[in-house]
């Protein structure tokens, strides 16, 4: 039987309020328990909070378009045809340009260099004794690695994280955080136009490969700076938050740290568990192109969906004891990197970074003490603002 839209469960929760974002998991659970689809009255969007439905939506781009990926109209109208909001065929042309260079095999060549850099940064914080795991650690590593990979000039990099954070806010609903971030988009655009031109980018870099694709007629010249910028924006803050959460979760769960030290082969799984447990990307939008029949409900074509990655990753229908952080869990199919056509293009690199940091820490650190954490609030990203940390060597 098909119900009308009125029968779809309603929630007036503001999942973007600081109150909810401080600990979103009880509200996520309420949304999942309310039904496979729940109308968020404050945001005029249907929450897809369960794992199975989230994966279904992400896996079917024909029925669920990314064109209006932000949860507010203004940003969707403002941003151009970037990869993350493009549907095929434009999407595939843009993604093809860099995907070979970010494929697991290509990224593996970077492993020795990334390991060296990870060991260096771990040596530095061990020497310091106590440090802030966000500003003094997590923020330094991906900016350096992704910046060098893309071939960005050194000057101006220091402004990037703040601008990228604002950019992610703009994917949220029409709230104060979104509107306060709009003015920063102009600065981000200026950064892109000045620093991601062919001449500014280092030779043999990923950024230069984008311009090679222009020369080969694969993508239009106007798309080049924005494609470079997508890789910059997508690859920095996300990884920063993942690394800070890695430190926090390992400090909070010393038994899991001990398990990892006893069996370092668990490292890839452990980093995935961080992404499952505290997903750096919490939400992105989709638009239903067709009526979507889900259980007894019909979501009408044209509806805006809010896919809750962080909730799907805690869905007790999918995960046994979902709220337990467990480095031995089988978690290859977590949604932290998304799924389907738009699934993270940089996931092999992100995993390499996270695993290199864990390997460097496991080799030298017997205990991590951290806290209390100060939460960072962003409409899309889940992360920390600061995390006082102390490492014990042994
Ligand atoms: C732990 C770190 C990271 C996390 C949690 C993460 C998460 C995600 C998620 C959830 C998506 C899917 C968006 C959607 O479905 O609409 C995505 C897409 C994307 N990510 Fe990542 N990401 C990370 C690191 C990176 C890195 C290091 C890069 C590249 C240097 C990167 C490049 C991209 C790109 C280009 C897309 C868009 C793909 C497309 O639309 O086809 N990401 N990421």
């Amino acid at each position: 039987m098909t119900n009308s839209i009125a029968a779809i469960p309603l929630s007036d929760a503001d999942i973007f309020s600081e109150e909810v974002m401080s600990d979103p998991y009880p509200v996520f659970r309420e949304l999942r328990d309310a039904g496979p689809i729940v109308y968020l009255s404050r945001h005029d969007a249907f929450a897809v909070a369960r794992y199975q439905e989230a994966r279904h939506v992400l896996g079917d781009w024909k029925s669920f378009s990314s064109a209006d990926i932000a949860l507010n109209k203004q940003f969707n109208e403002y941003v151009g045809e970037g990869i993350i909001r493009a549907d095929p065929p434009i999407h595939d042309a843009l993604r093809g340009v860099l995907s070979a260079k970010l494929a697991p095999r290509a990224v593996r060549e970077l492993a020795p260099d990334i390991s060296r850099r990870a060991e260096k940064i771990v040596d530095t914080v061990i020497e310091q004794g106590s440090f802030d795991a966000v500003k003094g650690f997590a923020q330094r590593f991906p900016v350096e690695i992704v910046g060098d990979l893309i071939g960005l000039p050194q000057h101006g990099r220091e402004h990037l994280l703040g601008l990228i954070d604002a950019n992610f806010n703009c994917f949220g609903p029409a709230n104060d955080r979104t509107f306060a971030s709009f003015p920063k988009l102009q600065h981000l655009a200026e950064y892109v136009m000045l620093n991601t031109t062919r001449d500014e980018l280092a030779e043999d870099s990923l950024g230069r490969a984008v311009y090679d694709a222009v020369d080969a007629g694969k993508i239009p010249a106007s798309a080049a700076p924005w494609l470079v910028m997508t890789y910059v924006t997508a690859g920095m803050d996300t990884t920063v938050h993942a690394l800070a959460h890695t430190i926090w979760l390992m400090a909070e769960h010393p038994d899991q740290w001990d398990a990892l030290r006893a069996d370092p082969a668990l490292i890839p799984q452990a980093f995935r568990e961080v992404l499952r447990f505290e997903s750096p990307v919490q939400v992105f939008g989709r638009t239903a192109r067709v009526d979507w029949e889900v259980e007894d409900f019909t979501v009408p074509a044209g509806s805006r969906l809010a896919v809750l990655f962080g909730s799907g990753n805690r869905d007790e229908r999918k995960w046994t004891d979902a709220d337990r952080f467990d480095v031995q869990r089988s978690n290859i199919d977590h949604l932290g990197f998304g799924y389907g056509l738009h699934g993270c293009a940089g996931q092999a690199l992100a995993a390499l970074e996270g695993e290199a940091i864990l390997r460097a820490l496991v080799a030298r650190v017997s205990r991590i003490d951290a806290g209390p954490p100060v939460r960072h609030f962003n409409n899309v990203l889940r992360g920390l603002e600061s995390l006082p940390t102390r490492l014990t060597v042994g």
Side-chain angles (χ1 to χ4, degrees), residues 69 83-84 91 95 234-235 238-239 284 286 336-338 341-342 344 346:
I69 189 169
I83 180 173
I84 202 157
H91 171 269
R95 182 144 175 161
T238 45
T239 314
F284 266 130
R286 293 290 191 270
F337 286 128
L341 187 80
H342 291 278
C344 182

Side-chain angles (χ1 to χ4, degrees), residues 40-157:
L40 298 173
S41 57
R42 298 215 193 182
H43 307 302
D44 186 21
F46 292 87
V48 187
R50 292 185 187 169
Y51 178 90
Q52 193 186 319
E53 283 74 16
R55 199 170 150 107
H56 171 78
V57 168
L58 297 172
D60 181 0
W61 64 266
K62 286 192 176 143
S63 305
F64 305 100
S65 168
S66 282
D68 288 333
I69 189 169
L71 298 172
N72 70 89
K73 200 162 140 265
Q74 291 88 336
F75 190 57
N76 284 326
E77 283 169 4
Y78 170 86
V79 279
E81 203 59 62
I83 180 173
I84 202 157
R85 62 186 300 261
D87 291 323
I90 295 172
H91 171 269
D92 302 355
L94 296 174
R95 182 144 175 161
V97 174
L98 295 188
S99 56
K101 291 189 186 287
L102 286 170
R105 187 152 13 117
V107 161
R108 232 172 279 139
E109 287 173 20
L110 305 172
D113 177 50
I114 290 182
S115 294
R116 257 193 311 275
R117 293 181 193 228
E119 280 157 23
K120 200 168 146 211
I121 198 162
V122 166
D123 284 350
T124 307
V125 289
I126 285 176
E127 246 168 62
Q128 285 168 349
S130 60
F131 61 100
D132 177 8
V134 181
K135 293 188 182 61
F137 182 71
Q139 288 188 349
R140 289 168 54 190
F141 194 58
V143 173
E144 190 186 301
I145 287 176
V146 176
D148 287 356
L149 194 69
I150 309 257
L152 296 178
Q154 285 294 340
H155 59 85
R157 284 191 193 184

Side-chain angles (χ1 to χ4, degrees), residues 56-360:
H56 171 78
V57 168
L58 297 172
D60 181 0
W61 64 266
K62 286 192 176 143
S63 305
F64 305 100
S65 168
S66 282
D68 288 333
I69 189 169
L71 298 172
N72 70 89
K73 200 162 140 265
Q74 291 88 336
F75 190 57
N76 284 326
E77 283 169 4
Y78 170 86
V79 279
E81 203 59 62
I83 180 173
I84 202 157
R85 62 186 300 261
D87 291 323
I90 295 172
H91 171 269
D92 302 355
L94 296 174
R95 182 144 175 161
V97 174
L98 295 188
S99 56
K101 291 189 186 287
L102 286 170
R105 187 152 13 117
V107 161
R108 232 172 279 139
E109 287 173 20
L110 305 172
D113 177 50
I114 290 182
S115 294
R116 257 193 311 275
R117 293 181 193 228
E119 280 157 23
K120 200 168 146 211
I121 198 162
V122 166
D123 284 350
T124 307
V125 289
I126 285 176
E127 246 168 62
Q128 285 168 349
S130 60
F131 61 100
D132 177 8
V134 181
K135 293 188 182 61
F137 182 71
Q139 288 188 349
R140 289 168 54 190
F141 194 58
V143 173
E144 190 186 301
I145 287 176
V146 176
D148 287 356
L149 194 69
I150 309 257
L152 296 178
Q154 285 294 340
H155 59 85
R157 284 191 193 184
E158 66 279 10
H159 304 303
L160 265 175
L161 288 177
L163 298 179
I164 296 169
D165 187 65
N167 189 56
F168 271 106
N169 268 332
C170 294
F171 286 92
N175 64 12
D176 290 349
R177 212 177 282 119
T178 297
F179 293 128
S181 297
F182 276 149
K184 293 196 184 154
L185 294 179
Q186 186 55 34
H187 301 295
L188 185 61
E190 282 162 15
Y191 176 90
V192 173
M193 292 310 161
L194 286 176
N195 296 291
T196 67
T197 58
R198 191 193 297 257
D199 293 342
E200 285 288 339
L201 295 166
E203 277 178 34
D204 292 327
S205 62
L206 275 187
R208 278 285 184 95
V210 171
Y211 287 93
D212 293 345
V214 173
D215 294 344
K218 290 181 186 158
I219 57 166
S222 59
W226 290 105
L227 186 55
V228 175
M229 199 54 208
T230 305
Y231 279 85
V232 176
T233 51
M236 289 192 181
D237 293 47
T238 45
T239 314
V240 167
H241 294 317
L243 295 179
H245 275 135
T246 300
I247 299 289
W248 172 230
L249 289 169
M250 293 303 172
E252 280 286 279
H253 301 89
D255 59 323
Q256 298 300 303
W257 183 242
D258 291 344
L260 204 55
R261 292 202 87 204
D263 184 3
L266 291 171
I267 283 175
Q269 203 164 332
F271 188 61
R272 287 199 297 270
E273 182 66 353
V274 171
L275 301 180
R276 182 194 74 84
F277 199 80
E278 292 286 12
S279 307
V281 173
Q282 290 279 298
V283 56
F284 266 130
R286 293 290 191 270
T287 308
R289 288 184 208 259
V290 292
D291 286 355
W292 177 28
E293 309 275 334
V294 49
E295 293 185 5
D296 290 341
F297 309 107
T298 303
V299 180
S303 300
R304 176 189 288 157
L305 308 178
V307 182
L308 303 182
F309 301 77
S311 173
N313 275 337
R314 293 283 194 111
D315 186 353
E316 42 295 291
R317 291 156 196 79
K318 158 73 182 167
W319 311 98
T320 309
D321 212 353
D323 291 334
R324 185 164 46 89
F325 178 69
D326 177 3
V327 298
Q328 309 203 41
R329 183 190 291 279
S330 154
N331 53 16
I332 193 94
D333 49 354
H334 70 93
L335 295 177
F337 286 128
Y339 175 70
L341 187 80
H342 291 278
C344 182
Q347 57 186 284
L349 176 63
L352 198 64
E353 291 178 57
E355 291 166 21
I357 286 289
L358 277 173
R359 218 163 271 123

